[in-house]
Amino acid sequence: INADFPVLFLLHGLFGSCDNWLDLTEIREYCEELEMIIVLVEGGNGWYSDSDTIETEKFYSYFIEELLPEIRLEYRIDQRKQAIAGLSMGGYGAFKFGLNRPDLFCFVGSMSGAFVAPNLCGADDDSRFSELLPSINDVFGNSNSINENDLFQIIDGLSPEEIETLPFFYFDCGIEDAFLSVNQKMADLLQ
């Protein structure tokens, strides 16, 4: 094959790792016949963002400034066919990359996206999302960070011209998932 390959960056969920895609899904079987590159991205519990409270945790910058260029140098990538998708925290991250850098992706996907994460910063520990709060507070620790990482505010701030440049967004969420209402809110906003 002399053509460059499409690439899919897969982002895992909170408390997981990139190996979850190999260990907990049938991704190997799904991809056997595909002529594409799939990058299983390790994101720790950092919400695919630059931490507001931990100086050394700069995942967003790392992904854009180091990982993407490294993959492009190492492999024959068709840069017009770059996609990003993720589960839960990874869904949040995928949407954040797609909204902030629509020039880099033709497709953005989320499964059970935790789109509300920045808005939970400082929430009551008795909330239904209490197990997420330590990582959320580490990453989105002050109000300035919350605003620049709030997907709903990012979308609201887009001009009609910027909206025209967005990639295709796909997402799904189970009817008993804790993030269903925020996914429905996202669907309403995007429509």
Side-chain angles (χ1 to χ4, degrees), residues 38-56:
I38 299 177
V39 180
L40 307 179
V41 180
E42 181 56 57
N45 294 328
W47 292 92
Y48 302 99
S49 298
D50 289 350
S51 174
D52 196 49
T53 64
I54 303 170
E55 184 61 32
T56 58

Side-chain angles (χ1 to χ4, degrees), residues 54-97:
I54 303 170
E55 184 61 32
T56 58
E57 297 290 323
K58 301 293 182 195
F59 186 84
Y60 185 87
S61 296
Y62 159 74
F63 184 86
I64 296 295
E65 297 168 12
E66 296 180 42
L67 182 62
L68 240 67
E70 184 177 323
I71 295 296
R72 288 177 177 171
L73 282 174
E74 187 71 26
Y75 302 99
R76 292 186 359 236
I77 302 295
D78 184 340
Q79 294 183 27
R80 298 163 303 153
K81 295 180 181 177
Q82 290 185 150
I84 189 166
L87 169 68
S88 190
M89 175 184 79
Y92 163 82
F95 267 49
K96 181 177 170 180
F97 285 116

Side-chain angles (χ1 to χ4, degrees), residues 102-187:
D103 56 310
L104 296 177
F105 305 101
C106 64
F107 175 91
V108 177
S110 169
M111 295 148 284
S112 300
F115 303 137
V116 73
N119 303 97
L120 295 174
C121 190
D124 183 355
D125 284 342
D126 292 333
S127 78
R128 62 186 173 148
F129 300 111
S130 61
E131 66 184 9
L132 312 180
L133 295 181
S135 67
I136 287 172
N137 291 328
D138 282 347
V139 173
F140 309 113
N142 82 30
S143 60
N144 293 333
S145 178
I146 294 168
N147 293 336
E148 69 188 32
N149 289 292
D150 181 334
L151 300 181
F152 297 95
Q153 286 189 35
I154 292 169
I155 294 168
D156 281 339
L158 294 174
S159 69
E161 294 79 22
E162 290 170 319
I163 290 170
E164 288 295 319
T165 69
L166 291 176
F168 181 84
F169 284 84
Y170 167 87
F171 56 108
D172 62 34
C173 190
I175 60 172
E176 295 183 23
D177 192 292
F179 292 118
L180 179 60
S181 64
V182 75
N183 275 259
Q184 290 172 325
K185 182 180 173 185
M186 180 64 73

